[in-house]
Amino acid sequence: METSLFKQLLQRRVFQIVGIYLGAVIALMEFTGMVVERYGLSDNLVDLILAGMTSFIPAVIVLAWSHGAPGKDKWGKAEKITVPANGLFTFALLSFLAFNSPNSTEPVPAQNQMISADSTLSKEVAQNNFQRIGVMFFDPGPQTSEHDLWMSYALTYLLSMHLSQERFLVVSSPYSDIENSFFWQMKRAGFKDGFNVPSSLKRNIARDSNFNYYTQGRLNKSENGFSVSLQIFNTESAKVVSEFSTEATNLFAATEAMTQFVKQQSALLPQGSDLINEIPINELATNNVQALKHLVEGLNHIVFNNDYELSINELKQAAALDPSFALANIHLAEILTKVGKLDEARMALDQILPYSYKVAPRMMFIVKAFGYALDNKIDLQADVYTNWMEIYPQDYQPINNLAFLMLWKKNSPAKAIPLFERSLEINQSQFWIYEKLGELYLSIDDFDNALNNLKKSSELKPDDFSPWIEMGKIAQLKGDLALARKHYQKASVLRSDKVSPVLALAGLDLREGKLQDAQDRYREAERISQAPRQQGMIVGHKIQYAWQLGQPKKAFDLLLEYQELVKQYMDPLDGMFAAVISKMYLYVYSDNTELAILHLQKLEQELDPALKDLVQFGYLFLHAALHQTEQADAAMVKVKSIVEKYSLNNMSYLLSMGQGWIEQSKRDHKMAAQHFQLALNQLNSSAQRANGQDLLPVIYDAIVEALYMDKQFELAEKYAQEYLPQWPEQPEINLHLAKICLGVDNSDCAKPYLQKAQSIWNEAEEGYNPAKETRELLQKFAL
């Protein structure tokens, strides 16, 4: 009986052999795809392999037919002709496809090919080039005298400034953002001068700061000048990825050599280095060694001790010794601005103009924008950033600057959001932008996008606690305190050395009336705290805690402590607002009005004439709290003028609150309620919404009280109930709700509200009127 073709194919194992061959084709395709992706080879390679192996299938079938059956076999004419012919056909096909591929005529750039500063990199290349490196203090050699220690600081400054000319490398050092320098983490660990810090601590700092790499170096004096060693560490692995040492006659030559070495590291700058166009460090800085010494010592006064006065004196000496020292004048202008001396800051910037050739192009954009900011020419400042973006379309810094301008001066989160998103597309290593976007989407009531950005941040940095803090704030705003607690607890576990999560939990305990738990949290935070910055945060929270418990005198004592602490880490203008002007109510309710006036007068004397009117914010809050309507009205006129003059639109809610207090003092409760409601809307639509939650109970309390006094009971109750889920035990809101209930003769309704208020004010100071009123109502109605 004749065997069918199908059975013969089975007997000769043609199906099995062809199946194995096709499986091998698929496996080879997978492997080739991985190689293409890993090493950046042409995608055509995958297509060629697929075409070649598919075209060879006829030869495989012939071979299987002839040699697949069990037993001895031999080569026949069929396979001797078919296999070579199929091979020739496959070769011809591959040659045709290779030479006619649409990508075959485009050369693949070399891995280390240099690209000039004027070239525009593609978005994909730019994303791969933004590595972040932290330049730590160089340690002095063992024989270095006290007199020469400044040189180690100088070398740190020079290297970070020289590397910062590279547009595709993000460089940070203790001098990069002096008022927020990462040195405080070294100081907290007991390293007062920043020298000989263990690599493990440097790594922790690098991880907190999102650095991909960090340095460790040493400077020694030698017979011919200096010997310098530098190590570059990978933050993730904590391993040394590269080492370098050199002999140099001076600090500038050592800096040049190290800069060239760092920029040759392919891990840091795989493509696109600006080596050709950089300004030599001795021209970028100064050839005058004494001028350099004064600059470094001036910056150290702030980094180490937050002493702005001594810093200004040193920087002025640096600029006087070398008038062409542009960097000295840039730092001087910046620091003068932070103490409110705008006229002197303008003069320092003017000194730079004849020597602009010594300033890197990107820095010159900053100087130009800085000058317009001092003159309050916001639109011209925005134009500088826009032009910068057009000239260097792959530079993310002007985009960020313009976005912050939209926030600080235009109070427009909606305009800032697309700018930050565009910046993130260019440089995806900016993890902090995800948190900023979370805040901004919250300000436009887009809770989903706010949470998505925060979750993205936590996914990219799983050990970062801050996204969980922000998610907790959003949960609080939505009234989900259980979820907020879960987020804060996760943050506290992620970083047991940070006080922010512990303080967030303490605030939540207060909101839920767990006073003993809150006090335990403060003690826990105090055990963690080592640095003034952390201690200031704790005392700031305790001020609000004491105030809510009806203890204004205790809160004021804490305020005096807080004022001393902020001098150690805040710049003078920020400290003025945080510790004096915004706390006028504490001066009034603790019977320290005369001291308040003395403090405000002192601030007026210290500020530049152009900024003196900023103190009017303090007078406005002071007179409003004292119900001195005429004086408050006069202060309001000046405050409105300065807000308009300096485009302080992000502070508009404070004006509305002030006007509401004035109207309340005039007993125009309806108008007062309208101003308070406007303040609430302004705060909720500003970028400060997430961080302004401490103001919400103040604003809601003011709204509810004004509506109650205007006999709009239903609307007053609506606002009270709207806020209560965020802070169930808030005593003022509960007292107002009780009074609304009693106004309609419903004592049963009032009882739980009064009991909540009483539980918070149980240890209120004698003479604290809200607590006294609560006790009287409980007694009057025998509740």
PDB file of all heavy atoms in Angstrom, residues 134 136 185-186 197-216 233-239 461 463 495:
ATOM      1  N   GLY A 134      27.348  66.037  42.475  1.00  0.00           N
ATOM      2  CA  GLY A 134      27.558  66.886  43.646  1.00  0.00           C
ATOM      3  C   GLY A 134      29.047  67.004  43.937  1.00  0.00           C
ATOM      4  O   GLY A 134      29.726  65.993  44.155  1.00  0.00           O
ATOM      5  N   MET A 136      31.642  67.866  46.450  1.00  0.00           N
ATOM      6  CA  MET A 136      31.797  68.023  47.891  1.00  0.00           C
ATOM      7  C   MET A 136      33.085  68.787  48.205  1.00  0.00           C
ATOM      8  O   MET A 136      33.972  68.934  47.361  1.00  0.00           O
ATOM      9  CB  MET A 136      31.817  66.655  48.573  1.00  0.00           C
ATOM     10  CG  MET A 136      30.622  65.765  48.250  1.00  0.00           C
ATOM     11  SD  MET A 136      29.079  66.412  48.934  1.00  0.00           S
ATOM     12  CE  MET A 136      27.885  65.224  48.304  1.00  0.00           C
ATOM     13  N   GLN A 185      23.340  69.244  56.367  1.00  0.00           N
ATOM     14  CA  GLN A 185      23.294  67.831  56.711  1.00  0.00           C
ATOM     15  C   GLN A 185      24.636  67.350  57.263  1.00  0.00           C
ATOM     16  O   GLN A 185      24.679  66.459  58.105  1.00  0.00           O
ATOM     17  CB  GLN A 185      22.894  67.015  55.488  1.00  0.00           C
ATOM     18  CG  GLN A 185      21.462  67.286  55.034  1.00  0.00           C
ATOM     19  CD  GLN A 185      21.138  66.648  53.707  1.00  0.00           C
ATOM     20  OE1 GLN A 185      21.373  67.227  52.651  1.00  0.00           O
ATOM     21  NE2 GLN A 185      20.597  65.456  53.749  1.00  0.00           N
ATOM     22  N   MET A 186      25.716  67.939  56.785  1.00  0.00           N
ATOM     23  CA  MET A 186      27.034  67.639  57.363  1.00  0.00           C
ATOM     24  C   MET A 186      27.133  68.222  58.773  1.00  0.00           C
ATOM     25  O   MET A 186      27.623  67.568  59.697  1.00  0.00           O
ATOM     26  CB  MET A 186      28.141  68.232  56.487  1.00  0.00           C
ATOM     27  CG  MET A 186      28.193  67.699  55.077  1.00  0.00           C
ATOM     28  SD  MET A 186      29.527  68.474  54.132  1.00  0.00           S
ATOM     29  CE  MET A 186      29.233  67.783  52.503  1.00  0.00           C
ATOM     30  N   VAL A 197      34.561  64.389  55.807  1.00  0.00           N
ATOM     31  CA  VAL A 197      33.230  63.798  55.945  1.00  0.00           C
ATOM     32  C   VAL A 197      33.258  62.385  55.357  1.00  0.00           C
ATOM     33  O   VAL A 197      33.766  62.180  54.250  1.00  0.00           O
ATOM     34  CB  VAL A 197      32.171  64.658  55.215  1.00  0.00           C
ATOM     35  CG1 VAL A 197      30.805  63.997  55.242  1.00  0.00           C
ATOM     36  CG2 VAL A 197      32.114  66.046  55.833  1.00  0.00           C
ATOM     37  N   PRO A 198      32.760  61.382  56.067  1.00  0.00           N
ATOM     38  CA  PRO A 198      32.768  60.008  55.531  1.00  0.00           C
ATOM     39  C   PRO A 198      32.012  59.910  54.215  1.00  0.00           C
ATOM     40  O   PRO A 198      31.023  60.614  53.994  1.00  0.00           O
ATOM     41  CB  PRO A 198      32.067  59.203  56.628  1.00  0.00           C
ATOM     42  CG  PRO A 198      32.150  60.036  57.855  1.00  0.00           C
ATOM     43  CD  PRO A 198      32.151  61.455  57.401  1.00  0.00           C
ATOM     44  N   SER A 199      32.496  59.014  53.367  1.00  0.00           N
ATOM     45  CA  SER A 199      31.841  58.843  52.073  1.00  0.00           C
ATOM     46  C   SER A 199      30.392  58.388  52.232  1.00  0.00           C
ATOM     47  O   SER A 199      29.544  58.719  51.404  1.00  0.00           O
ATOM     48  CB  SER A 199      32.615  57.832  51.228  1.00  0.00           C
ATOM     49  OG  SER A 199      32.050  57.711  49.946  1.00  0.00           O
ATOM     50  N   SER A 200      30.107  57.636  53.292  1.00  0.00           N
ATOM     51  CA  SER A 200      28.728  57.168  53.504  1.00  0.00           C
ATOM     52  C   SER A 200      27.781  58.341  53.731  1.00  0.00           C
ATOM     53  O   SER A 200      26.640  58.338  53.244  1.00  0.00           O
ATOM     54  CB  SER A 200      28.677  56.211  54.686  1.00  0.00           C
ATOM     55  OG  SER A 200      29.197  56.826  55.854  1.00  0.00           O
ATOM     56  N   LEU A 201      28.235  59.373  54.468  1.00  0.00           N
ATOM     57  CA  LEU A 201      27.398  60.547  54.677  1.00  0.00           C
ATOM     58  C   LEU A 201      27.261  61.343  53.383  1.00  0.00           C
ATOM     59  O   LEU A 201      26.172  61.838  53.059  1.00  0.00           O
ATOM     60  CB  LEU A 201      27.986  61.432  55.784  1.00  0.00           C
ATOM     61  CG  LEU A 201      27.264  62.759  56.062  1.00  0.00           C
ATOM     62  CD1 LEU A 201      25.787  62.524  56.371  1.00  0.00           C
ATOM     63  CD2 LEU A 201      27.934  63.508  57.212  1.00  0.00           C
ATOM     64  N   LYS A 202      28.353  61.444  52.650  1.00  0.00           N
ATOM     65  CA  LYS A 202      28.275  62.136  51.363  1.00  0.00           C
ATOM     66  C   LYS A 202      27.279  61.433  50.438  1.00  0.00           C
ATOM     67  O   LYS A 202      26.528  62.078  49.704  1.00  0.00           O
ATOM     68  CB  LYS A 202      29.647  62.194  50.707  1.00  0.00           C
ATOM     69  CG  LYS A 202      30.640  63.109  51.407  1.00  0.00           C
ATOM     70  CD  LYS A 202      31.998  63.074  50.727  1.00  0.00           C
ATOM     71  CE  LYS A 202      32.979  64.002  51.442  1.00  0.00           C
ATOM     72  NZ  LYS A 202      34.341  63.931  50.845  1.00  0.00           N
ATOM     73  N   ARG A 203      27.296  60.100  50.491  1.00  0.00           N
ATOM     74  CA  ARG A 203      26.361  59.358  49.655  1.00  0.00           C
ATOM     75  C   ARG A 203      24.918  59.646  50.053  1.00  0.00           C
ATOM     76  O   ARG A 203      24.035  59.810  49.206  1.00  0.00           O
ATOM     77  CB  ARG A 203      26.645  57.859  49.757  1.00  0.00           C
ATOM     78  CG  ARG A 203      25.758  57.035  48.825  1.00  0.00           C
ATOM     79  CD  ARG A 203      25.742  55.589  49.217  1.00  0.00           C
ATOM     80  NE  ARG A 203      24.930  54.803  48.300  1.00  0.00           N
ATOM     81  CZ  ARG A 203      24.422  53.619  48.588  1.00  0.00           C
ATOM     82  NH1 ARG A 203      24.657  53.078  49.776  1.00  0.00           N
ATOM     83  NH2 ARG A 203      23.670  52.971  47.715  1.00  0.00           N
ATOM     84  N   ASN A 204      24.636  59.692  51.371  1.00  0.00           N
ATOM     85  CA  ASN A 204      23.282  60.008  51.828  1.00  0.00           C
ATOM     86  C   ASN A 204      22.850  61.380  51.332  1.00  0.00           C
ATOM     87  O   ASN A 204      21.703  61.576  50.910  1.00  0.00           O
ATOM     88  CB  ASN A 204      23.216  59.962  53.353  1.00  0.00           C
ATOM     89  CG  ASN A 204      23.120  58.537  53.886  1.00  0.00           C
ATOM     90  OD1 ASN A 204      22.803  57.613  53.145  1.00  0.00           O
ATOM     91  ND2 ASN A 204      23.414  58.353  55.155  1.00  0.00           N
ATOM     92  N   ILE A 205      23.773  62.338  51.409  1.00  0.00           N
ATOM     93  CA  ILE A 205      23.469  63.682  50.915  1.00  0.00           C
ATOM     94  C   ILE A 205      23.195  63.642  49.415  1.00  0.00           C
ATOM     95  O   ILE A 205      22.252  64.281  48.921  1.00  0.00           O
ATOM     96  CB  ILE A 205      24.631  64.639  51.239  1.00  0.00           C
ATOM     97  CG1 ILE A 205      24.750  64.843  52.751  1.00  0.00           C
ATOM     98  CG2 ILE A 205      24.444  65.978  50.528  1.00  0.00           C
ATOM     99  CD1 ILE A 205      25.987  65.603  53.177  1.00  0.00           C
ATOM    100  N   ALA A 206      24.019  62.878  48.693  1.00  0.00           N
ATOM    101  CA  ALA A 206      23.844  62.771  47.244  1.00  0.00           C
ATOM    102  C   ALA A 206      22.501  62.145  46.897  1.00  0.00           C
ATOM    103  O   ALA A 206      21.817  62.582  45.966  1.00  0.00           O
ATOM    104  CB  ALA A 206      24.986  61.948  46.648  1.00  0.00           C
ATOM    105  N   ARG A 207      22.094  61.138  47.657  1.00  0.00           N
ATOM    106  CA  ARG A 207      20.791  60.498  47.394  1.00  0.00           C
ATOM    107  C   ARG A 207      19.648  61.455  47.682  1.00  0.00           C
ATOM    108  O   ARG A 207      18.670  61.526  46.929  1.00  0.00           O
ATOM    109  CB  ARG A 207      20.671  59.223  48.228  1.00  0.00           C
ATOM    110  CG  ARG A 207      21.671  58.145  47.847  1.00  0.00           C
ATOM    111  CD  ARG A 207      21.528  56.894  48.688  1.00  0.00           C
ATOM    112  NE  ARG A 207      20.308  56.169  48.358  1.00  0.00           N
ATOM    113  CZ  ARG A 207      19.966  55.014  48.915  1.00  0.00           C
ATOM    114  NH1 ARG A 207      20.755  54.462  49.823  1.00  0.00           N
ATOM    115  NH2 ARG A 207      18.857  54.407  48.578  1.00  0.00           N
ATOM    116  N   ASP A 208      19.752  62.201  48.789  1.00  0.00           N
ATOM    117  CA  ASP A 208      18.706  63.167  49.117  1.00  0.00           C
ATOM    118  C   ASP A 208      18.607  64.259  48.060  1.00  0.00           C
ATOM    119  O   ASP A 208      17.529  64.812  47.822  1.00  0.00           O
ATOM    120  CB  ASP A 208      18.985  63.820  50.479  1.00  0.00           C
ATOM    121  CG  ASP A 208      18.635  62.891  51.628  1.00  0.00           C
ATOM    122  OD1 ASP A 208      18.022  61.831  51.378  1.00  0.00           O
ATOM    123  OD2 ASP A 208      18.982  63.207  52.781  1.00  0.00           O
ATOM    124  N   SER A 209      19.748  64.586  47.444  1.00  0.00           N
ATOM    125  CA  SER A 209      19.789  65.691  46.479  1.00  0.00           C
ATOM    126  C   SER A 209      19.612  65.225  45.035  1.00  0.00           C
ATOM    127  O   SER A 209      19.747  66.031  44.116  1.00  0.00           O
ATOM    128  CB  SER A 209      21.132  66.423  46.607  1.00  0.00           C
ATOM    129  OG  SER A 209      21.348  66.873  47.925  1.00  0.00           O
ATOM    130  N   ASN A 210      19.340  63.939  44.837  1.00  0.00           N
ATOM    131  CA  ASN A 210      19.140  63.371  43.492  1.00  0.00           C
ATOM    132  C   ASN A 210      20.394  63.461  42.638  1.00  0.00           C
ATOM    133  O   ASN A 210      20.306  63.615  41.416  1.00  0.00           O
ATOM    134  CB  ASN A 210      17.971  64.057  42.766  1.00  0.00           C
ATOM    135  CG  ASN A 210      16.639  63.764  43.394  1.00  0.00           C
ATOM    136  OD1 ASN A 210      16.443  62.702  43.959  1.00  0.00           O
ATOM    137  ND2 ASN A 210      15.725  64.708  43.320  1.00  0.00           N
ATOM    138  N   PHE A 211      21.582  63.390  43.258  1.00  0.00           N
ATOM    139  CA  PHE A 211      22.816  63.375  42.474  1.00  0.00           C
ATOM    140  C   PHE A 211      23.057  61.962  41.952  1.00  0.00           C
ATOM    141  O   PHE A 211      22.964  60.988  42.705  1.00  0.00           O
ATOM    142  CB  PHE A 211      24.028  63.786  43.318  1.00  0.00           C
ATOM    143  CG  PHE A 211      23.948  65.166  43.910  1.00  0.00           C
ATOM    144  CD1 PHE A 211      24.612  65.468  45.087  1.00  0.00           C
ATOM    145  CD2 PHE A 211      23.221  66.169  43.291  1.00  0.00           C
ATOM    146  CE1 PHE A 211      24.552  66.730  45.642  1.00  0.00           C
ATOM    147  CE2 PHE A 211      23.149  67.434  43.839  1.00  0.00           C
ATOM    148  CZ  PHE A 211      23.809  67.721  45.019  1.00  0.00           C
ATOM    149  N   ASN A 212      23.406  61.854  40.661  1.00  0.00           N
ATOM    150  CA  ASN A 212      23.810  60.550  40.124  1.00  0.00           C
ATOM    151  C   ASN A 212      25.217  60.188  40.584  1.00  0.00           C
ATOM    152  O   ASN A 212      25.538  59.009  40.774  1.00  0.00           O
ATOM    153  CB  ASN A 212      23.774  60.572  38.597  1.00  0.00           C
ATOM    154  CG  ASN A 212      22.425  60.990  38.052  1.00  0.00           C
ATOM    155  OD1 ASN A 212      22.262  62.120  37.604  1.00  0.00           O
ATOM    156  ND2 ASN A 212      21.457  60.096  38.087  1.00  0.00           N
ATOM    157  N   TYR A 213      26.034  61.228  40.764  1.00  0.00           N
ATOM    158  CA  TYR A 213      27.423  61.026  41.165  1.00  0.00           C
ATOM    159  C   TYR A 213      27.808  62.083  42.204  1.00  0.00           C
ATOM    160  O   TYR A 213      27.180  63.137  42.295  1.00  0.00           O
ATOM    161  CB  TYR A 213      28.369  61.138  39.957  1.00  0.00           C
ATOM    162  CG  TYR A 213      28.077  60.144  38.866  1.00  0.00           C
ATOM    163  CD1 TYR A 213      27.194  60.446  37.831  1.00  0.00           C
ATOM    164  CD2 TYR A 213      28.671  58.881  38.870  1.00  0.00           C
ATOM    165  CE1 TYR A 213      26.907  59.526  36.831  1.00  0.00           C
ATOM    166  CE2 TYR A 213      28.395  57.953  37.875  1.00  0.00           C
ATOM    167  CZ  TYR A 213      27.506  58.278  36.862  1.00  0.00           C
ATOM    168  OH  TYR A 213      27.226  57.352  35.890  1.00  0.00           O
ATOM    169  N   TYR A 214      28.851  61.801  42.960  1.00  0.00           N
ATOM    170  CA  TYR A 214      29.397  62.791  43.887  1.00  0.00           C
ATOM    171  C   TYR A 214      30.904  62.616  43.953  1.00  0.00           C
ATOM    172  O   TYR A 214      31.449  61.558  43.592  1.00  0.00           O
ATOM    173  CB  TYR A 214      28.767  62.668  45.279  1.00  0.00           C
ATOM    174  CG  TYR A 214      29.023  61.364  45.991  1.00  0.00           C
ATOM    175  CD1 TYR A 214      30.097  61.211  46.882  1.00  0.00           C
ATOM    176  CD2 TYR A 214      28.188  60.273  45.803  1.00  0.00           C
ATOM    177  CE1 TYR A 214      30.331  60.012  47.537  1.00  0.00           C
ATOM    178  CE2 TYR A 214      28.415  59.068  46.453  1.00  0.00           C
ATOM    179  CZ  TYR A 214      29.479  58.941  47.313  1.00  0.00           C
ATOM    180  OH  TYR A 214      29.715  57.756  47.961  1.00  0.00           O
ATOM    181  N   THR A 215      31.585  63.658  44.396  1.00  0.00           N
ATOM    182  CA  THR A 215      33.043  63.643  44.391  1.00  0.00           C
ATOM    183  C   THR A 215      33.606  63.570  45.805  1.00  0.00           C
ATOM    184  O   THR A 215      32.935  63.908  46.784  1.00  0.00           O
ATOM    185  CB  THR A 215      33.602  64.902  43.719  1.00  0.00           C
ATOM    186  OG1 THR A 215      33.307  66.044  44.538  1.00  0.00           O
ATOM    187  CG2 THR A 215      33.026  65.097  42.331  1.00  0.00           C
ATOM    188  N   GLN A 216      34.838  63.139  45.854  1.00  0.00           N
ATOM    189  CA  GLN A 216      35.616  63.176  47.079  1.00  0.00           C
ATOM    190  C   GLN A 216      37.036  63.521  46.664  1.00  0.00           C
ATOM    191  O   GLN A 216      37.601  62.880  45.776  1.00  0.00           O
ATOM    192  CB  GLN A 216      35.573  61.826  47.787  1.00  0.00           C
ATOM    193  CG  GLN A 216      36.205  61.804  49.162  1.00  0.00           C
ATOM    194  CD  GLN A 216      35.773  60.571  49.944  1.00  0.00           C
ATOM    195  OE1 GLN A 216      34.654  60.476  50.419  1.00  0.00           O
ATOM    196  NE2 GLN A 216      36.673  59.605  50.067  1.00  0.00           N
ATOM    197  N   PHE A 233      32.251  59.084  42.613  1.00  0.00           N
ATOM    198  CA  PHE A 233      31.488  57.939  43.113  1.00  0.00           C
ATOM    199  C   PHE A 233      30.133  57.866  42.418  1.00  0.00           C
ATOM    200  O   PHE A 233      29.510  58.891  42.133  1.00  0.00           O
ATOM    201  CB  PHE A 233      31.243  58.070  44.620  1.00  0.00           C
ATOM    202  CG  PHE A 233      32.446  57.828  45.480  1.00  0.00           C
ATOM    203  CD1 PHE A 233      33.408  58.809  45.636  1.00  0.00           C
ATOM    204  CD2 PHE A 233      32.621  56.617  46.141  1.00  0.00           C
ATOM    205  CE1 PHE A 233      34.520  58.601  46.430  1.00  0.00           C
ATOM    206  CE2 PHE A 233      33.722  56.388  46.941  1.00  0.00           C
ATOM    207  CZ  PHE A 233      34.679  57.383  47.087  1.00  0.00           C
ATOM    208  N   ASN A 234      29.690  56.651  42.162  1.00  0.00           N
ATOM    209  CA  ASN A 234      28.322  56.420  41.721  1.00  0.00           C
ATOM    210  C   ASN A 234      27.424  56.397  42.960  1.00  0.00           C
ATOM    211  O   ASN A 234      27.674  55.627  43.891  1.00  0.00           O
ATOM    212  CB  ASN A 234      28.228  55.094  40.967  1.00  0.00           C
ATOM    213  CG  ASN A 234      26.838  54.803  40.453  1.00  0.00           C
ATOM    214  OD1 ASN A 234      25.920  54.557  41.234  1.00  0.00           O
ATOM    215  ND2 ASN A 234      26.679  54.820  39.153  1.00  0.00           N
ATOM    216  N   THR A 235      26.421  57.241  42.983  1.00  0.00           N
ATOM    217  CA  THR A 235      25.580  57.362  44.171  1.00  0.00           C
ATOM    218  C   THR A 235      24.838  56.065  44.474  1.00  0.00           C
ATOM    219  O   THR A 235      24.732  55.648  45.628  1.00  0.00           O
ATOM    220  CB  THR A 235      24.574  58.507  44.002  1.00  0.00           C
ATOM    221  OG1 THR A 235      25.277  59.712  43.751  1.00  0.00           O
ATOM    222  CG2 THR A 235      23.711  58.677  45.249  1.00  0.00           C
ATOM    223  N   GLU A 236      24.343  55.413  43.440  1.00  0.00           N
ATOM    224  CA  GLU A 236      23.536  54.216  43.652  1.00  0.00           C
ATOM    225  C   GLU A 236      24.360  53.076  44.235  1.00  0.00           C
ATOM    226  O   GLU A 236      23.939  52.406  45.178  1.00  0.00           O
ATOM    227  CB  GLU A 236      22.880  53.792  42.333  1.00  0.00           C
ATOM    228  CG  GLU A 236      21.829  52.717  42.481  1.00  0.00           C
ATOM    229  CD  GLU A 236      20.658  53.145  43.355  1.00  0.00           C
ATOM    230  OE1 GLU A 236      20.318  54.349  43.346  1.00  0.00           O
ATOM    231  OE2 GLU A 236      20.094  52.278  44.050  1.00  0.00           O
ATOM    232  N   SER A 237      25.549  52.862  43.673  1.00  0.00           N
ATOM    233  CA  SER A 237      26.368  51.733  44.115  1.00  0.00           C
ATOM    234  C   SER A 237      27.360  52.102  45.204  1.00  0.00           C
ATOM    235  O   SER A 237      27.905  51.214  45.863  1.00  0.00           O
ATOM    236  CB  SER A 237      27.134  51.160  42.923  1.00  0.00           C
ATOM    237  OG  SER A 237      28.093  52.098  42.455  1.00  0.00           O
ATOM    238  N   ALA A 238      27.615  53.411  45.385  1.00  0.00           N
ATOM    239  CA  ALA A 238      28.610  53.915  46.352  1.00  0.00           C
ATOM    240  C   ALA A 238      30.025  53.474  45.991  1.00  0.00           C
ATOM    241  O   ALA A 238      30.910  53.493  46.837  1.00  0.00           O
ATOM    242  CB  ALA A 238      28.260  53.476  47.772  1.00  0.00           C
ATOM    243  N   LYS A 239      30.243  53.099  44.738  1.00  0.00           N
ATOM    244  CA  LYS A 239      31.557  52.661  44.300  1.00  0.00           C
ATOM    245  C   LYS A 239      32.258  53.762  43.506  1.00  0.00           C
ATOM    246  O   LYS A 239      31.615  54.570  42.838  1.00  0.00           O
ATOM    247  CB  LYS A 239      31.444  51.394  43.442  1.00  0.00           C
ATOM    248  CG  LYS A 239      30.957  50.178  44.214  1.00  0.00           C
ATOM    249  CD  LYS A 239      30.896  48.945  43.320  1.00  0.00           C
ATOM    250  CE  LYS A 239      30.442  47.725  44.114  1.00  0.00           C
ATOM    251  NZ  LYS A 239      30.342  46.515  43.258  1.00  0.00           N
ATOM    252  N   LYS A 461      11.701  57.617  42.681  1.00  0.00           N
ATOM    253  CA  LYS A 461      12.581  57.675  43.853  1.00  0.00           C
ATOM    254  C   LYS A 461      11.883  56.970  45.012  1.00  0.00           C
ATOM    255  O   LYS A 461      11.292  57.604  45.880  1.00  0.00           O
ATOM    256  CB  LYS A 461      12.892  59.124  44.214  1.00  0.00           C
ATOM    257  CG  LYS A 461      13.907  59.784  43.306  1.00  0.00           C
ATOM    258  CD  LYS A 461      14.583  60.937  44.021  1.00  0.00           C
ATOM    259  CE  LYS A 461      15.442  60.432  45.132  1.00  0.00           C
ATOM    260  NZ  LYS A 461      16.029  61.503  45.957  1.00  0.00           N
ATOM    261  N   ASP A 463      12.792  55.702  47.707  1.00  0.00           N
ATOM    262  CA  ASP A 463      13.216  55.983  49.086  1.00  0.00           C
ATOM    263  C   ASP A 463      13.020  57.432  49.488  1.00  0.00           C
ATOM    264  O   ASP A 463      13.457  57.853  50.555  1.00  0.00           O
ATOM    265  CB  ASP A 463      14.695  55.604  49.262  1.00  0.00           C
ATOM    266  CG  ASP A 463      15.601  56.323  48.276  1.00  0.00           C
ATOM    267  OD1 ASP A 463      15.074  56.915  47.313  1.00  0.00           O
ATOM    268  OD2 ASP A 463      16.830  56.284  48.468  1.00  0.00           O
ATOM    269  N   ARG A 495      12.192  57.640  56.005  1.00  0.00           N
ATOM    270  CA  ARG A 495      13.313  58.421  56.511  1.00  0.00           C
ATOM    271  C   ARG A 495      13.095  58.717  57.984  1.00  0.00           C
ATOM    272  O   ARG A 495      12.396  59.675  58.354  1.00  0.00           O
ATOM    273  CB  ARG A 495      13.451  59.726  55.719  1.00  0.00           C
ATOM    274  CG  ARG A 495      13.938  59.536  54.297  1.00  0.00           C
ATOM    275  CD  ARG A 495      15.297  58.824  54.236  1.00  0.00           C
ATOM    276  NE  ARG A 495      16.331  59.563  54.920  1.00  0.00           N
ATOM    277  CZ  ARG A 495      17.120  60.448  54.325  1.00  0.00           C
ATOM    278  NH1 ARG A 495      16.985  60.693  53.034  1.00  0.00           N
ATOM    279  NH2 ARG A 495      18.057  61.069  55.011  1.00  0.00           N
TER     280      ARG A 495
END
